[in-house]
Amino acid sequence: MKKLTILLTLLVSINVLAQTDQDALKTIYSQSLTNGKAYQWLDYLSNQIGGRLSGSVNAEKAVQYTKSELEKLGLDKVWLQEVMVPKWERGAKEVAHFTSNYNKFDVNICALGGSVATANSGLEATVIEVKSFEELAALGDKVKGKIVFFNGAMNPELIHTFEAYGGCSKQRYAGAYEAGKLGAVGVIVRSLNLRQDDLPHTGSMGYMDLPNEQRVPSAAISTNDANKLSEALKKDANLKFYFKQNCKQFEDVLSYNVIGQITGSEFPEEIMVVGGHLDSWDLGDGSHDDGAGVVQSMDVIRLLKESGIKPKRTIRVVLFMNEENGLRGGKKYAEEAKRNNENHVFALESDSGGFSPRGFSFDCSEAALNKVLSWESLFKPYLIHYFEKGYSGADIGPLKNDTIVLAGLRPDSQRYFDHHHAANDTFDAVNKRELELGAATMTSLVYLFDKYGTSNIPQVKEFKD
Amino acid sequence: MKKLTILLTLLVSINVLAQTDQDALKTIYSQSLTNGKAYQWLDYLSNQIGGRLSGSVNAEKAVQYTKSELEKLGLDKVWLQEVMVPKWERGAKEVAHFTSNYNKFDVNICALGGSVATANSGLEATVIEVKSFEELAALGDKVKGKIVFFNGAMNPELIHTFEAYGGCSKQRYAGAYEAGKLGAVGVIVRSLNLRQDDLPHTGSMGYMDLPNEQRVPSAAISTNDANKLSEALKKDANLKFYFKQNCKQFEDVLSYNVIGQITGSEFPEEIMVVGGHLDSWDLGDGSHDDGAGVVQSMDVIRLLKESGIKPKRTIRVVLFMNEENGLRGGKKYAEEAKRNNENHVFALESDSGGFSPRGFSFDCSEAALNKVLSWESLFKPYLIHYFEKGYSGADIGPLKNDTIVLAGLRPDSQRYFDHHHAANDTFDAVNKRELELGAATMTSLVYLFDKYGTSNIPQVKEFKD
């Protein structure tokens, strides 16, 4: 009889708990959808500030704005964390064309972030097209004096578009490095875009240890124009490609990570981070990448408060600076955490756009993932179904250790690369409800991990909560 | 030993089958994403033809175009099925404003489909705002001579936006009927849109059995202007609202359902339908509603062929006419099916937009749903996770009987009502990959039901397939 009583008590506890969590998630989602602030903040970041490249005036404005907005939320602490960031400027808009049989064809390009400029008069040369680094290596000396045109396309068959991106992003990042080593004079890279359109997509590139004379200008070309150029090369292998870009690298400048905190009521030394990156590329206004992640993260900490949840652990929103071209903010945050012997138990990043949330990918132990899977039914009413092992996020990556739970929000990815790093990454491409659902989904995960902890505590212990 | 052998054979069979289905789905999705025709067809339907209201020249063009495209696919049979449809025309663009304290405020309205026009000079009256039919009933005689303003808003807390739509669509459909009975002189209805914007959303309304003198003009007002009007009414209950609309109902005209068929190789008498509706509202070009469903359905039958699948059952693509304001095509198709003693075992409709597919809702037996659930893991790589009982689609509804499996594609619904029945339901709002993923998801379901049948055949029998 005693055993039965214990069992019944346990069962009742489970029911009460389950009901409580269901109610908590319902409150969180309703708050976000009826009383969310993410969209309003994004409107300001995108339309009043705009693109926020590291080291720019806009990036500084975004630091001040988000700090001031966090201060309005009545958190326990809001502060700036100093971080030195690279400063690169695009300068005047790029121009490019190719000429074949005395006909001139204008094409849409943009300098890749970190590239050197061309000479003031521009750069003109013949073009060799490759679709992989293997093809480039096989060409060897033949690329000398030429522009290498990397035309590897994202694979449309992959359902996860980030996999397709990963499959050819090295062209953009290391194309100039590999081609420069072989004596190429310039590099044109097909935009990392699954769509056929006229927009060039920028993004970071690096020369690594190349000497200055091998650092050649590198630009992205729109997918439509990449196809046009490729077709033209089939007919005229000697066509001339001309481009002019005016970008410039400056000395590093001081910038900041923006941090806000609710101190935990029971385990203040256990820190849970939620964040996105405040910097963006300069062509659009960075609404999806990563204005969305910034305002969702800010709303996580607000939604917890609005939903009447008092976290047991310390919840920190971190708006990282310089994810796009240096990751200095993410690295600095992890360094400081280590220096201060802080115990980070959980970090969640939103940096895959503000689209309809589908779930999370986790970089964590099996035990922690199993804990998440036990919450699957709680998320089902909100159509959140994706809980898989995988990549979390660039900014929180440096926090990785054996015990931390790292997670990345996974929104629907089909439209993401239509806008990524391009002039159409703008506020109008973000749907208010999709953004709010993402914020609520993040808040729900933070709520559950705060409540149940990130270590593999036996279930029975948790009934005390 | 013999038992073990049988068991092993069974296990091997299961594995082989599973592998085959996995491969089939992979082929279908790859074909759709690399070689799909849906987007190209939609481009033509939307940009070369445009809005396709029943009885219009454009609707006739769409009939001829889709018939001719189906004929190019080498199907066993393509034909038109005659159906008489209502013909209603909007006429010149509507105008509306309200005046309060000698100030005039312009507002965005559009006539609801089926409404009568105002007098040529327009209609002006004072306004009574209600948010429900209960409020209207309580007002009774007080609405006499007035314009009733139905301002019930879609509930943003509901995750499934179609539920929020269902929660207030009666205002649009029956608002004029209920208000007209009470002596109102006109009806203004808040647009069925979760967003705050300036676009009025049309849609069907009906006067049912009302005598002509009680048939009052009925229009939708944009959500922004509904809010503006509501605020103004709080300050000035006697403000005057003016609107003028020029719509007209004509005699019914002849139109068609467009049908294409692959005749089944083993069970030709078992018919499986996949379809969408060819007509649309007139304000946009009907890309999401329901151009997407039309071209996806067309591509289902093409993708089966391209993927080397020879259906055992008869597969029919049906492009229904007149879903929006009469459902005549759906009714006619079911009548003819009954008259010809056809055995329809399955019908799938896509009429919820061309957004990222999430799954299906099913109107079918538990046994059939369980069969679907046994396929869940096949769909998982494509992020298809939603398999629930529920509504299928308007056009296939009339086919319902005790044994048929009715299904509706369920795309992500968050953006749908931003565009629904409004001027921004246009081609640019459709993402190519999302559309193609939808077509592949539909094709996969058709493939599986064709292969395994729709009745609850014991699993062991299926191993013969």
Side-chain angles (χ1 to χ4, degrees):
Chain A
M1 188 60 200
K2 196 178 163 195
K3 273 188 188 166
L4 184 64
T5 311
I6 292 172
L7 183 65
L8 281 174
T9 311
L10 276 174
L11 284 172
V12 167
S13 304
I14 290 168
N15 254 328
V16 167
L17 263 181
Q19 190 52 36
T20 307
D21 289 339
Q22 269 175 29
D23 290 350
L25 264 64
K26 194 164 196 297
T27 303
I28 290 167
Y29 276 91
S30 291
Q31 276 290 332
S32 190
L33 288 167
T34 61
N35 185 32
K37 284 213 66 171
Y39 195 68
Q40 185 185 325
W41 281 326
L42 187 64
D43 189 0
Y44 193 94
L45 264 187
S46 299
N47 293 323
Q48 301 303 315
I49 298 178
R52 303 169 294 281
L53 193 52
S54 289
S56 67
V57 172
N58 279 1
E60 176 61 21
K61 282 185 192 168
V63 165
Q64 296 308 328
Y65 171 67
T66 51
K67 174 168 178 275
S68 127
E69 289 300 308
L70 286 177
E71 281 167 348
K72 292 179 192 165
L73 299 184
L75 307 181
D76 293 314
K77 202 175 158 197
V78 175
W79 72 101
L80 299 182
Q81 184 175 58
E82 293 191 351
V83 46
M84 294 301 292
V85 296
K87 177 175 170 163
W88 176 89
E89 280 184 1
R90 181 171 306 281
K93 188 169 161 48
E94 303 83 352
V95 289
H97 61 256
F98 63 85
T99 44
S100 174
N101 296 318
Y102 306 102
N103 291 314
K104 184 180 148 202
F105 303 91
D106 289 332
V107 293
N108 296 288
I109 69 154
C110 66
L112 292 178
S115 175
V116 297
T118 58
N120 275 341
S121 56
L123 164 65
E124 188 169 59
T126 55
V127 176
I128 288 195
E129 175 179 343
V130 297
K131 293 198 171 165
S132 69
F133 285 98
E134 291 69 32
E135 282 184 40
L136 179 73
L139 287 168
D141 273 359
K142 288 181 190 151
V143 309
K144 259 198 181 120
K146 303 203 166 162
I147 289 171
V148 174
F149 168 34
F150 287 93
N151 196 25
M154 285 173 73
N155 180 358
E157 295 180 68
L158 296 170
I159 305 301
H160 295 271
T161 61
F162 281 85
E163 285 180 27
Y165 176 69
C168 48
S169 58
K170 196 187 160 194
Q171 290 182 112
R172 188 197 71 206
Y173 189 78
Y177 173 73
E178 298 292 349
K181 275 199 296 190
L182 295 173
V185 295
V187 163
I188 299 292
V189 184
R190 181 188 183 89
S191 283
L192 295 169
N193 177 6
L194 279 155
R195 222 169 45 161
Q196 302 306 313
D197 64 27
D198 296 321
L199 299 166
H201 293 230
T202 192
S204 65
M205 54 78 61
Y207 295 111
M208 275 71 95
D209 54 358
L210 278 190
N212 278 345
E213 64 275 16
Q214 291 183 343
R215 298 186 171 209
V216 300
S218 178
I221 186 168
S222 77
T223 48
N224 276 345
D225 289 332
N227 293 348
K228 190 160 80 174
L229 177 59
S230 183
E231 285 305 307
L233 282 167
K234 281 176 197 148
K235 293 176 195 143
D236 176 9
N238 296 313
L239 66 78
K240 292 279 180 65
F241 192 95
Y242 170 87
F243 70 117
K244 174 163 160 41
Q245 55 191 34
N246 313 286
C247 39
K248 191 173 172 190
Q249 191 80 46
F250 297 83
E251 292 293 304
D252 288 359
V253 298
L254 179 64
S255 188
Y256 305 92
N257 293 327
V258 181
I259 309 177
Q261 174 175 307
I262 298 177
T263 305
S265 60
E266 280 187 47
F267 312 110
E269 77 291 351
E270 292 190 23
I271 299 169
M272 297 177 62
V273 162
V274 57
H277 64 84
L278 203 44
D279 65 307
S280 78
W281 282 106
D282 57 331
L283 296 174
D285 62 35
S287 283
H288 276 296
D289 187 14
D290 184 27
V294 163
V295 298
Q296 285 174 327
S297 299
M298 290 167 70
D299 225 14
V300 166
I301 210 157
R302 196 192 64 89
L303 287 168
L304 286 172
K305 283 178 80 88
E306 293 290 317
S307 305
I309 295 162
K310 297 193 197 319
K312 298 193 290 188
R313 292 166 174 81
T314 291
I315 313 292
R316 249 184 220 173
V317 52
V318 184
L319 312 179
F320 297 94
M321 184 50 70
N322 188 231
E323 189 271 347
E324 292 295 1
N325 55 340
L327 206 66
R328 302 280 185 86
K331 289 175 185 164
K332 181 62 177 285
Y333 182 82
E335 278 164 28
E336 289 294 306
K338 195 171 178 183
R339 207 172 57 83
N340 295 325
N341 280 320
E342 287 178 346
N343 178 23
H344 280 72
V345 297
F346 173 91
L348 165 62
E349 182 155 358
S350 167
D351 183 20
S352 304
F355 299 96
S356 264
R358 307 291 293 259
F360 302 94
S361 60
F362 292 95
D363 184 358
C364 67
S365 68
E366 286 299 326
L369 185 66
N370 286 335
K371 185 170 268 191
V372 173
L373 292 175
S374 75
W375 301 328
E376 220 170 341
S377 63
L378 287 170
F379 282 101
K380 201 177 174 193
Y382 310 101
L383 304 176
I384 302 303
H385 63 101
Y386 186 85
F387 303 92
E388 302 282 341
K389 285 263 196 155
Y391 179 71
S392 57
D395 296 293
I396 60 174
L399 289 170
K400 187 170 169 63
N401 61 33
D402 289 346
T403 54
I404 192 169
V405 174
L406 297 177
L409 181 71
R410 290 293 159 258
D412 196 285
S413 73
Q414 300 310 321
R415 292 172 182 244
Y416 187 63
F417 291 97
D418 296 358
H419 303 275
H420 185 243
H421 297 181
N424 65 339
D425 182 3
T426 45
F427 184 66
D428 59 295
V430 177
N431 175 280
K432 180 170 180 282
R433 288 177 60 83
E434 293 181 0
L435 185 76
E436 290 166 349
L437 287 168
T441 304
M442 293 166 70
T443 308
S444 298
L445 188 72
V446 169
Y447 158 77
L448 289 165
F449 266 118
D450 173 62
K451 181 166 176 183
Y452 295 112
T454 55
S455 54
N456 192 23
I457 307 160
Q459 283 293 319
V460 73
K461 181 150 179 251
E462 294 179 6
F463 291 156
K464 286 195 284 183
D465 286 345
Chain B
M1 189 61 200
K2 197 178 160 194
K3 274 188 187 165
L4 184 63
T5 312
I6 291 173
L7 183 65
L8 282 174
T9 312
L10 276 174
L11 285 171
V12 168
S13 304
I14 290 167
N15 255 327
V16 168
L17 263 181
Q19 188 54 34
T20 307
D21 289 339
Q22 270 175 28
D23 290 349
L25 264 65
K26 193 165 196 300
T27 303
I28 290 167
Y29 276 91
S30 291
Q31 277 290 331
S32 190
L33 288 167
T34 61
N35 186 30
K37 284 212 67 171
Y39 195 66
Q40 187 185 323
W41 281 326
L42 187 63
D43 189 0
Y44 192 95
L45 263 187
S46 300
N47 293 323
Q48 301 302 315
I49 297 177
R52 302 169 295 283
L53 193 52
S54 289
S56 68
V57 172
N58 279 1
E60 176 61 20
K61 282 185 191 168
V63 165
Q64 296 306 329
Y65 170 66
T66 51
K67 174 168 179 274
S68 127
E69 289 300 307
L70 286 176
E71 282 167 347
K72 293 178 192 166
L73 300 182
L75 307 181
D76 293 314
K77 202 175 160 196
V78 174
W79 72 100
L80 299 181
Q81 183 174 60
E82 293 191 349
V83 47
M84 294 302 292
V85 297
K87 177 174 171 165
W88 176 89
E89 280 184 2
R90 180 171 307 281
K93 189 169 160 45
E94 304 81 353
V95 289
H97 61 255
F98 63 86
T99 43
S100 174
N101 296 319
Y102 305 104
N103 290 314
K104 183 181 146 202
F105 303 91
D106 287 332
V107 292
N108 296 289
I109 67 154
C110 66
L112 292 178
S115 174
V116 297
T118 57
N120 276 342
S121 55
L123 164 65
E124 188 169 60
T126 54
V127 176
I128 287 197
E129 176 179 343
V130 296
K131 293 199 171 166
S132 68
F133 284 98
E134 291 70 31
E135 283 185 39
L136 179 73
L139 286 168
D141 272 359
K142 288 182 189 149
V143 308
K144 260 203 181 115
K146 302 205 167 160
I147 290 172
V148 173
F149 168 35
F150 286 93
N151 196 25
M154 285 173 73
N155 180 357
E157 295 181 69
L158 297 170
I159 305 301
H160 295 272
T161 60
F162 281 85
E163 285 180 26
Y165 177 70
C168 46
S169 57
K170 195 186 162 195
Q171 289 181 114
R172 188 197 71 207
Y173 190 77
Y177 173 73
E178 297 293 349
K181 276 199 296 189
L182 295 173
V185 294
V187 163
I188 299 293
V189 183
R190 181 188 183 89
S191 283
L192 295 168
N193 177 6
L194 280 155
R195 222 167 47 160
Q196 300 306 313
D197 65 26
D198 295 322
L199 298 167
H201 293 231
T202 189
S204 64
M205 56 77 62
Y207 296 111
M208 274 73 93
D209 56 357
L210 279 190
N212 279 345
E213 64 275 15
Q214 291 183 344
R215 297 186 170 209
V216 301
S218 176
I221 186 169
S222 76
T223 48
N224 276 345
D225 289 332
N227 293 349
K228 191 160 78 174
L229 177 58
S230 183
E231 284 306 306
L233 282 166
K234 282 177 198 149
K235 291 175 197 143
D236 175 10
N238 296 313
L239 67 78
K240 291 280 179 69
F241 192 94
Y242 169 88
F243 70 118
K244 173 164 161 39
Q245 55 191 34
N246 313 285
C247 39
K248 190 172 171 190
Q249 191 80 43
F250 296 84
E251 291 293 304
D252 289 359
V253 297
L254 178 64
S255 187
Y256 305 91
N257 292 327
V258 181
I259 309 177
Q261 175 174 307
I262 298 177
T263 305
S265 60
E266 280 187 49
F267 311 111
E269 76 291 351
E270 293 191 20
I271 299 170
M272 297 177 61
V273 162
V274 56
H277 64 85
L278 203 44
D279 65 307
S280 78
W281 281 106
D282 56 333
L283 295 174
D285 61 34
S287 282
H288 276 296
D289 186 13
D290 183 27
V294 163
V295 298
Q296 286 174 325
S297 299
M298 290 166 71
D299 226 12
V300 166
I301 209 157
R302 196 192 65 89
L303 286 168
L304 287 171
K305 283 178 79 88
E306 293 289 318
S307 305
I309 295 161
K310 294 191 200 322
K312 299 193 288 187
R313 291 166 173 82
T314 291
I315 314 291
R316 249 185 221 172
V317 51
V318 184
L319 312 178
F320 297 94
M321 184 51 70
N322 186 230
E323 189 272 346
E324 293 296 1
N325 56 339
L327 205 65
R328 301 279 186 88
K331 288 175 187 165
K332 181 62 177 285
Y333 182 82
E335 277 165 27
E336 288 295 305
K338 195 171 180 186
R339 208 173 56 84
N340 296 324
N341 279 319
E342 288 179 345
N343 178 22
H344 281 72
V345 297
F346 172 92
L348 165 62
E349 182 155 358
S350 168
D351 183 20
S352 304
F355 300 96
S356 265
R358 305 293 293 260
F360 302 95
S361 59
F362 293 94
D363 184 357
C364 67
S365 68
E366 285 299 326
L369 185 66
N370 285 335
K371 187 171 265 190
V372 173
L373 292 174
S374 75
W375 300 328
E376 219 170 343
S377 64
L378 288 169
F379 282 101
K380 201 177 175 193
Y382 309 100
L383 304 177
I384 302 303
H385 64 100
Y386 186 85
F387 304 92
E388 304 282 341
K389 285 263 197 152
Y391 180 69
S392 58
D395 296 293
I396 61 174
L399 288 170
K400 187 168 169 66
N401 62 32
D402 288 345
T403 56
I404 192 169
V405 174
L406 297 177
L409 181 71
R410 289 293 159 259
D412 196 286
S413 73
Q414 300 310 320
R415 291 171 183 245
Y416 187 62
F417 291 97
D418 296 358
H419 303 275
H420 185 244
H421 298 181
N424 65 339
D425 182 2
T426 46
F427 185 66
D428 60 293
V430 178
N431 176 279
K432 181 171 180 283
R433 289 177 59 83
E434 292 181 359
L435 184 75
E436 290 167 347
L437 287 168
T441 303
M442 293 165 71
T443 308
S444 299
L445 188 73
V446 169
Y447 158 78
L448 288 164
F449 266 118
D450 173 60
K451 181 166 176 183
Y452 296 111
T454 55
S455 54
N456 193 25
I457 307 161
Q459 283 293 321
V460 74
K461 181 150 179 253
E462 295 178 7
F463 292 155
K464 287 196 283 184
D465 286 345

